Amino acid sequence: MAAAYIQSEFKKIGLQSKGDPVSYTQEFTFKSGVHGEGKEGTANNIVGYIDNGAANTVIIGAHYDHLGIGNQGSSLDANPANKIHNGADDNASGTSGVIELARYFQHNRKQEKYNFLFICFSGEELGLYGSKYFTEHPTIDLVNVDYMVNMDMIGRLNAGRELSVSGTGTSTVFEPLLKKLSKDKFNVKTDSSGTGPSDHTSFYLKNIPVLHFFTGSHNDYHKPTDDWDKINYQGEVDVLDLIIKM
């Protein structure tokens, strides 16, 4: 249902399909379990594209999978089985960010200097499966990718406006630009590393500069209580505005 919804939004926005071979979906197989010893399943990345006729492309992504009904073993609820884990912050917030940035860059009536590839990954919670698959089976030439932006949990900006941004050391322009654009707007904490427990890692391992935006952990993390009523909607708008300026 989530995959179908994302595809319907990509279609309404007017993105080009960049899945396999002429659809938004990129199907991949995986094996569940901590060490891949479980049963095999299939999942889909959702991939859309804006072609601005540019030489290089920016990838904007987020994972849209979560913990389902709490049976896969990573819930932090005391008794998680058969409880719906909607994952409003983790990571409907990032998925919404991808959709809204796609809408913005498609309709801003400006010929941007980059093409944009928008990806919603599946299989992140089980081990970055979707992003790993895409980087091994890309639907565009990764040589022409300038950098990748990952949004994982951007829906809970707190009163102190604390925003964590990882990957600032993967390009020399990131740190000074981020500080300039976020001045007096956010309390930004940066991390130079391009690796971490989210999908940007798969791209950094392919020597692509990355930025990962994150508004922080909270007591509802990986619990059924991570739901829509806890989201700071205006805070997410502010984060997306910063990403647009970046």
Side-chain angles (χ1 to χ4, degrees):
M1 290 173 66
Y5 175 77
I6 296 163
Q7 289 180 76
S8 71
E9 290 299 302
F10 278 12
K11 185 175 181 179
K12 282 193 290 185
I13 292 166
L15 299 185
Q16 295 181 22
S17 58
K18 277 289 181 178
D20 292 331
V22 290
S23 70
Y24 292 119
T25 60
Q26 183 188 45
E27 184 177 279
F28 61 94
T29 59
F30 65 92
K31 285 192 174 181
S32 60
V34 176
H35 301 292
E37 76 282 3
K39 64 180 181 180
E40 187 169 272
T42 60
N44 289 283
N45 295 325
I46 315 299
V47 193
Y49 187 65
I50 296 175
D51 184 357
N52 286 316
N56 296 308
T57 298
V58 172
I59 294 177
I60 298 175
H63 75 91
Y64 74 93
D65 63 299
H66 192 50
L67 309 187
I69 54 173
N71 295 326
Q72 69 183 53
S74 56
S75 174
L76 296 178
D77 188 78
N79 299 289
N82 299 316
K83 294 179 181 177
I84 296 173
H85 292 60
N86 281 319
D89 189 29
D90 185 17
N91 187 32
S93 66
T95 303
S96 300
V98 172
I99 293 170
E100 291 310 315
L101 291 177
R103 197 187 317 278
Y104 172 83
F105 284 114
Q106 179 75 314
H107 299 301
N108 66 345
R109 298 181 180 181
K110 180 180 178 182
Q111 188 74 13
E112 299 287 348
K113 296 179 181 179
Y114 292 92
N115 310 313
F116 291 95
L117 191 75
F118 300 93
I119 313 179
C120 293
F121 305 105
S122 191
E124 190 269 356
E125 297 287 5
L126 293 173
L128 312 187
Y129 289 156
S131 56
K132 286 178 182 176
Y133 186 85
F134 181 84
T135 56
E136 294 296 334
H137 305 85
T139 59
I140 63 170
D141 191 346
L142 294 184
V143 172
N144 298 324
V145 173
D146 208 54
Y147 59 96
M148 186 268 181
V149 173
N150 180 38
M151 295 171 287
D152 195 350
M153 299 175 62
I154 59 168
R156 298 285 285 266
L157 188 69
N158 62 23
R161 299 185 66 81
E162 295 173 335
L163 176 66
S164 296
V165 185
S166 302
T168 57
T170 63
S171 170
T172 57
V173 305
F174 284 159
E175 188 92 22
L177 182 59
L178 181 65
K179 287 183 177 179
K180 176 184 176 182
L181 294 177
S182 64
K183 185 179 180 182
D184 302 325
K185 296 180 178 68
F186 294 94
N187 179 10
V188 174
K189 179 182 178 182
T190 61
D191 182 354
S192 62
S193 176
T195 61
S198 192
D199 292 304
H200 59 287
T201 298
S202 301
F203 291 85
Y204 180 65
L205 294 177
K206 295 295 183 181
N207 297 314
I208 295 172
V210 295
L211 286 172
H212 168 216
F213 290 82
F214 171 60
T215 54
S217 194
H218 44 75
N219 290 333
D220 301 303
Y221 175 71
H222 277 203
K223 294 178 182 177
T225 50
D226 178 12
D227 220 329
W228 68 271
D229 56 326
K230 305 284 185 66
I231 296 297
N232 178 353
Y233 293 97
Q234 184 57 52
E236 172 149 358
V237 169
D238 294 343
V239 172
L240 295 179
D241 283 342
L242 175 61
I243 293 172
I244 288 169
K245 291 173 183 175
M246 286 286 291

